[in-house]
Amino acid sequence: MKLPFILSGPILRRVEPTSLYIWIALSRQIKMDAQLFQINQDTYIPLDINTETKTFKAGEQLYIYLIKISPRRTPFPSCTLLGYNLFFKKDAMVRDLGNYGLLTKEHSRSIVYGNLKYPAFYIDHESLPTNLLYGSCRKPHGVGEDALISADFLVEEKHLDHSQRPNGLFFMGDQIYADDVADPLFPILSVLSSELVGHRDDSKLSDLIPHVLHSRLSKVNARQFLIEHLSNFSTGKGDNHLITFGEYAAMYLISWSPEIWEFIQENDLIQSFRQIIDNKKLYLKFEGEPKKREKELSRLEARYEEQMEQIREFIVSISATRRLMANIPTYMIFDDHDVTDDWNISEKWTATARNSPLGKYIIGNGLAAYWLFQGWGNDPKSFDTTFRNKIEKYLESGNMESQDYKVGLDFLWDYHSWHFIAPTVPKTVFLDTRTQRGFDPRPRAVQLGSLMEETTRTPLLISEKGWQSTTEKLLSSGWNKRTPLNIVSPTPVYGMGLIESFLHKYVYPFKVLGFPVQTSFDFDGWKYNGKGFHAFLSQVSSWDPSCVILLSGDVHFSSSVKSEVKLNDGKIHSFYQFTSSPVHNESFTGIWGILMKSVLWLNAQKRKEQSLYRSCSETYSMTLTKDKTEIPKQNLWEETINYYSFQDGSIAETKNSIGYLHFDKALPENTLLMAAEPISNDENLL
């Protein structure tokens, strides 16, 4: 099949006064060029620019382009609307974005706002804080409506108003769900994978998976055993887990690209449940037991139909998502689902996955796809020719015994510099809380009634070496002490205490003892490791910002928290954390939803107008209390924590949303953009 020329994009990536980057994926190799305009009302003034294009061939019909645009003379103007166009050159033929319907506002694939001729954006002046959109956790078959539609509506409404328009889009993890793939998507991903990259991975899979199990690779609902027993992964939803690079790439495309969905529909790739059965593409665990088989078949049919309806609703949001990403500088960091659930959750998990040839292969493919589709545009200068060559040779390698495969895979596993500094105002540190972890091998006791067991300790989300590397990047970015700083941590630094304490006390013991308990929380957050939390506070204190805004996702509820920390050296620091999650994956439904909403209501009653006090002893044991007089006198630090309410009186929101951090006279106001209507905080916070 011939794939559409434009596979995904354009996406506006890193933007600074001296350079900007545009990402686009095409199905064919071609020469690229760009044009940049200064827009004054209806006048479009071409700017004198240099363009440089880097091309990465990721498959037979998959070429990733990163176009760098830089000024020939003076830096690009700030606080001025700038528009861009891209050109595709093949021999004497030249086409632009308009030839593909992207510049026609009436077209369903249009990426322009209002009456503008081109996708457009602003560059902020260093004296004006950047308005930000931020969120995480977006799954095609997620429950509820996609909050990115609301973000697109906001930009459409404010696209000419620099003071109100969002000027940075932060995706803070779980942009795809590699471990939780919908049944109706699985056959589509298989076809797209083959078309994108060909069949170069077939020989590797033959070596990685016993022949008797090889048929499971192409069947819906068949991969859980492979993922659990051959990969040593811990996800409980691995029935259709992504394995090859082509599958990861295809998942990104179906998440971002209207053209891919048109291709899917034109080629009848969407199959009904009956077609899956007739084509013998459904795996049944109880194939030989008639009564159990019928029950399993009924359950899978219900799941298939439910997921099909959720995907139909998701498709509606994709054009809005693409337009949004084409018009706002976009920065992305991974969390676990971008690769696999529980990724690096413990030292044992990491070691067993790496020692599994299949597990190591899957994670390598997930990281290669993350770099190409997300990481490359965050800070392109960080990825030199040597880096690109290693990844390209790894992906091109035909078998597991080749040196290119072995070297490239080890390189991906050992690469721990995914963190970066976004050039927003103030600057934003994006933390890598997955590959820079530190582990304590000592066992930790867990008590459940009279039963005592030992389990592994929760990890330091960033090791000492990781903090050193992050500090080097921050200081080399030009950021100055005693000025504000944004920090993106995929996992919230400040969680919702009552919810997490409830789960930690009553749910976690069952989970670590092997009971089949599933929750939306991984107990590897900042608060579960006192040493790691202390390291975070100490590191930020050494940076010495005037104030810190923390942005997070991951936990599938949104909240706003203020903390004032006093360290034992007398330093005092203020933290303002805003969490927005999920974008499209409501988790608290059914019985768990009722339970968690009850806990949220109790939490709201307990936390309104009430401060919490926490301290950390010299042994890194943290104490939380409602009475300040109960804080021990000897401690490494103490803090006062306050939760802020939304307009409806709650202190957390579980519906799909994306955060909008707007600055009015340098004061931040946090708003949740939701499918129905925005819910704002009661007050400004600084």
Side-chain angles (χ1 to χ4, degrees), residues 633-669:
K633 292 184 179 180
Q634 298 296 322
N635 54 58
L636 296 172
W637 48 263
E638 60 185 61
E639 66 177 336
T640 303
I641 304 171
N642 291 97
Y643 292 84
Y644 288 87
S645 299
F646 296 109
Q647 284 184 339
D648 64 357
S650 68
I651 58 173
E653 175 57 60
T654 62
K655 297 290 186 181
N656 293 336
S657 66
I658 186 166
Y660 170 46
L661 189 61
H662 165 63
F663 290 85
D664 184 12
K665 298 180 180 178
L667 297 176
E669 179 181 337

Side-chain angles (χ1 to χ4, degrees), residues 416-456:
H416 303 311
S417 295
W418 301 109
H419 56 290
F420 63 95
I421 314 300
T424 53
V425 184
K427 294 188 185 298
T428 302
V429 180
F430 276 72
L431 300 178
D432 169 8
T433 58
R434 284 288 161 184
T435 75
Q436 291 188 330
R437 295 184 167 199
F439 300 103
D440 187 340
R442 295 175 299 155
R444 179 175 179 268
V446 173
Q447 181 174 0
L448 179 61
S450 60
L451 181 63
M452 298 290 294
E453 290 288 342
E454 289 185 330
T455 184
T456 55

Side-chain angles (χ1 to χ4, degrees), residues 333-353:
I333 192 65
F334 48 53
D335 203 12
D336 57 342
H337 293 288
D338 298 89
V339 177
T340 187
D341 189 24
D342 292 340
W343 179 31
N344 293 343
I345 196 170
S346 68
E347 186 174 35
K348 180 181 178 182
W349 191 102
T350 306
T352 54

Side-chain angles (χ1 to χ4, degrees), residues 93-133:
M93 184 177 66
V94 179
R95 292 177 176 269
D96 71 349
L97 294 174
N99 290 109
Y100 299 94
L102 303 186
L103 305 182
T104 304
K105 64 179 181 179
E106 295 84 7
H107 199 288
S108 61
R109 295 200 300 264
S110 172
I111 59 172
V112 298
Y113 287 108
N115 293 317
L116 294 176
K117 293 182 179 180
Y118 305 105
F121 60 95
Y122 287 96
I123 298 176
D124 288 317
H125 190 272
E126 60 183 10
S127 64
L128 299 173
T130 303
N131 298 324
L132 300 171
L133 291 169

Side-chain angles (χ1 to χ4, degrees), residues 6 11 42 78 165 372 377 463 490 536 597 619:
I6 295 180
I11 301 176
D42 294 330
S78 61
R165 172 179 171 151
L372 272 170
S463 66
F536 171 85
K597 286 174 183 177
T619 60

Side-chain angles (χ1 to χ4, degrees), residues 10-16 18-24 34 36 51-54 65-70 76 84 86 121 123 325-326 328-331 376-383 388 423:
I11 301 176
L12 186 62
R13 299 305 313 268
R14 189 180 184 92
V15 170
E16 301 178 82
T18 55
S19 64
L20 63 93
Y21 294 85
I22 300 169
W23 179 100
I24 193 167
L36 195 67
T51 61
E52 178 186 354
T53 301
K54 295 190 182 301
Y65 295 82
L66 195 64
I67 303 103
K68 178 184 178 182
I69 303 175
S70 54
F76 295 131
Y84 69 87
L86 299 180
F121 60 95
I123 298 176
M325 296 166 72
I328 299 183
T330 304
Y331 304 90
W376 194 7
N378 290 326
D379 187 6
K381 292 180 181 178
S382 296
F383 306 105
R388 296 194 300 272

Side-chain angles (χ1 to χ4, degrees), residues 2 139 157-158 259 282 293 306 314 319 322 415 440 453 463 612 621:
K2 188 176 182 180
K139 187 169 71 174
E157 181 183 359
K158 307 292 186 182
E259 285 90 350
L282 180 67
R293 182 187 187 280
E306 180 182 26
F314 174 76
S319 290
R322 197 257 288 274
Y415 187 82
D440 187 340
E453 290 288 342
S463 66
L612 296 176
S621 176

